[in-house]
Amino acid sequence: MSAAAVSNCATKVLCSNRGCLEYRQLQRRLSPALAVSDARLCEVLRDGGRFVVVPGAQDRIPGCPLSPDSTILAKTSVRLCKSYPNCGRCENLHLCRYYVCGNCRYSKGRNTCRNSHDFRSDHNLAILTSNQLQDLEEAELFQLLLQNDSYLLPEICPHYNKGNGQYGSCTFKMKCTNLHVCQHFLQGDCKFGAGCKRCHRFDLNARNILSGRGLSADNTCILHDIYKNRYRIDTCVEKTEGKTQRSREPSLSSTTDVDSNEICLFFLRKHCSFKALTCLETVVVFFSFGKGSVQLVLLRMMRLMLCSTSLIILARMSLYSLCPPFSYFDTHYPSEKCIRVHFHLPYKWEVLDRDGLTWKELPQMEDIEKAYCNPENTTSCLYIPCVYSNGSPAVNFLTMTCRSAQVRRLSTASSVTKPPHFLFTTEWVWYWKNEHGKWTEYGHQQDEKAGGSISSKVLENVYLADSENNVPFSIGGQQYILHFKGMYQQNQIYKTKREVQRRPRFVSAQDVERKLKSGPTETTASTAVSVPAHWDQGALPDFTYKLISLSTSSEEFRQVEILFRRTMLTNKIHKIQRIQNPSLWKVFQCGKCKHSHDIHSAQNLAILRKNQLQDLDEVKLFQLLLQNDSSLLPEICFHYNKGNEEYGSCNYKTKCAKLHVCQYFFQGDCKFGPSCKRSHKFDTNATQILERRFSAENIRILPAIYKMKYMIDNPASLITEKKSKEVSMKSISEVEINEICLFYIRKHCSFNDKCARVHSHLPYKWEFKYDLKTWKDIPNMEEIEKAYCNPENNTSKGLDFITMKYGSSNVRRLSTASSVTKPPNFVLTTKWVWYWKNEHGKWIEYGHHADKKTGASISSITLEKVYAEGADSKSFSAADQQYVIYFKDMYQQNQKHYTKRDVRRRPRFVSVEEVKKKLERDSEKTSDPASSFPIHWDKGRIAVTNTKDEFKTVETAFRKTMNTNQIHKIERIQNPSLWKVFQWQKEQMEKSKEGKEVDERFLFHGTKAELIDPICEQNFDWRICGVNGTSYGKGSYFARDASYSNKYSKVKDGHKYMFFVRVLVGEFTKGRSNIVRPPILYDSCVNSTTDPTIFVIFEKYQIYPEYLIEYS
């Protein structure tokens, strides 16, 4: 059998056994299928591109370099594509990362994942075949990817693994997005065991992070093994003679991979002092606290002290016989201490050797770097000698491979992470690809449109803080979001996507030499950071330090001595030395805030005077800025305020960077009060977000600040209804909140207190504002309404209709929906009448039969329909003259003579007595048996017997996809009012289609028990009943298949409920998540126009809830 076949079979066996096996186990599992000798198998396992071998402690097998207990791990260079689905053809797999991790949340419910779940697609199969992985099953491939592709698993927090506090040195604490677990435990080498201060299991926060990354419960259970395998693959642990040896010292292994793959700036500039740090280790202090007791201050503490103070104390005691000096360091700190890479250039290109352990330098490194720095290049375009053969293709920058060998680029730290005087930091440049295929740098001075509001420096800072973040920014009036994860930017309106790249600024070897020669002089002059005045000016080296002994008579010596003696009275001080390190001092000075804290600087004072704010003190100015400048306040999560779940429709849950609080509470108008499902206070997550930006005092008054900011941003909410245009200016929900409920007037409202509309016994209601939150009824309401309905009147009973004021108080008029927005059988809708004022000061109704000249071409009904649709104006003709009505300023203008006439919109008066009569007539019509209803109807909600054809029809449709469920009852819903509306809507749709038959279908809708009566009484209303998804629009969702609706049926007393609904779907098109009504010429939206299974209805008159199915 060929070596390739043996290799493929070994990989398959390893991947089916959690990614690794001991050699003897692997040989045993291969034996039934393959007759392969130890020598042959060992030769195959030497392929460093596919296997990692960790030597064991037992004796080697004769004729074979491996021992029976050697550990074999499956390895691959195949990775998931980070740019997918915004990628063309690449050499990485196009798969959903969450699916690979075992739990794709986007493939649940109504939403479907936009990323592929097919690992055998044409693209993926070609990649697998080229890497000899085509024989792997799905679970085996995913195991291989999980232990090799670092993109899939969350990082272990390096800061949590340093320091002594509960969270180590991690300042994010519970908000950290990395895992807070012991790094050495996951690597399998924690020497502290149960006594370790770091966590050896995944706590609640870690489990939330893992769940957010898509890790299934099964994968979470074996995650310890996956991390251990990945660590051994990444670091190539070797075990020799029963001892574990690492390429770097254990205590430093908690340093991030970024640090270990970073080129040392100090070595590059001149030399790295860590090789000679044993002399600094003698600066460790030994103190006695009693017989045989020794305290040791470690080197790590000394390093910290170098950053915060310029003094070191040396003390010597008579305990050397008990503890030989410095022997601890000789054992635990070998001379090779620098964890970073030592190289003569600020970048280094390496290729992985065939043994899978050794990284070798690539030739023509400067040429590769130059090609890489150009975002146009996807390969190095060079013929590079390869470690596998005499030659190979160029380096592929997208996959970072040279043929199948892995390639890596090491570099110095990013320039944004270091003070400006540091030489040879890597300046990363961010580019986006325009519609012409040209790469343009963000913030470039020649690119005003694309670089206006964001620069490479800003992007680099945000990227290093969180590489999975999304950055919103604006360009030329357009809003964009840059996605680091997929490396693309997207227009928020048109949804167009542009590729994004991050490449370094090129620095040649000649540039490095030039900077080394001129660097110290330039940096000293440019940074101008002065050292303390008391320093010895003759001992200021450029890159290292000098120790200056202090005189015992100096004030500096005495100050240090006093601090030391507070707790160390009995010890003798032999020497105190000042450390003079200009480089560290500059870094320490740069640690201070680089932004101004002076509101009266020349720049700031000029701006304050220009805006007449120069008399404000600091507190008042900051208050003014907080309630006006949106950049200062964190956003309230829009998705949290939608949906019915604990976190609304927000997928980020506790990881969301926005505030999870009730938006309406902060606007001062939450109608639900204490019963609101959304939080009215800052929870732990919100408090942590705020604590990073605000003082405790500002957090306390933040609700008031948000409310004032909302009022400033939305002045229309403060002015009268007369001065504003409600329908076109407000959202649907705001209009309905100020609308009187028609169902409550007629009989009763099934939604009760949950109804979004106002409950009143009249179709109008006059109120005045009593205080900031309370509206109270105005007395003599019927008389005021009668006066208001007459366009001649401007006032009544002290109420001004023009300013909508009652004394000094604001006034509002609430009413039922406009008659043009409801079917004709709806009683007590508000009929609005439109008037114009002629040259004699008389108000004339549009379209009135007595006004032939002006009323011929337009009527009040027409104007009301146009106004309700949100139009700004309406053209019409009267006799031979052309006019335009402007709704905003309420006037009409002659298009020839430009004369203007006032226009008014007033309701038709309805008295209390007329309301009673209309309700009585409506009740008689409802009970009229002559009304046109289905002949099989009885009265009320009627149970359908299982012997009727009607029952069998519903049952058959249900059982197409729900064959195993038991149907307990099917009820027919008989609501004459809803049936009339449904039939009227059907007629209107047929008329608009010129008599063409309307597409009418029976569809399913899952619900919960408490919503059954409101739906049967008042029909479906997604604004009140809630929304389970908005993928195809904000409306009521119905499904072709009962199995789909079953997901949204809620169990009560062991039973579930589902409506079988008659729906006028009409003409449909594919929906979008942000629409609130179907596009013009369409009646509904669907998930697919070729084979629709989900229908979204925006107008409830197109729905009749005909049957209710009770099942389990």
Side-chain angles (χ1 to χ4, degrees), residues 547-614:
L547 292 176
I548 307 299
S549 295
L550 301 184
S551 169
T552 55
S553 60
S554 68
E555 181 64 25
E556 192 176 1
F557 187 100
R558 284 196 293 271
Q559 287 177 355
V560 178
E561 182 182 29
I562 290 171
L563 293 173
F564 180 79
R565 294 285 182 213
R566 284 179 181 175
T567 56
M568 304 290 287
L569 273 174
T570 59
N571 297 89
K572 181 180 179 181
I573 296 177
H574 295 277
K575 188 192 299 183
I576 298 177
Q577 292 178 298
R578 182 197 311 123
I579 301 173
Q580 298 191 175
N581 188 326
S583 295
L584 289 185
W585 181 258
K586 288 176 183 179
V587 175
F588 176 66
Q589 292 300 106
C590 289
K592 299 177 181 179
C593 183
K594 62 181 180 180
H595 301 294
S596 172
H597 288 200
D598 182 12
I599 66 169
H600 292 114
S601 67
Q603 159 82 3
N604 295 337
L605 195 56
I607 292 175
L608 293 175
R609 282 175 177 161
K610 181 180 178 181
N611 292 276
Q612 300 179 356
L613 301 174
Q614 69 275 11

Side-chain angles (χ1 to χ4, degrees), residues 324-349:
F326 319 129
S327 61
Y328 177 89
F329 298 99
D330 294 338
T331 303
H332 291 76
Y333 286 89
S335 61
E336 182 59 45
K337 289 187 174 302
C338 186
I339 61 168
R340 294 174 177 83
V341 178
H342 285 188
F343 197 61
H344 66 283
L345 290 174
Y347 48 83
K348 187 179 185 184
W349 288 85

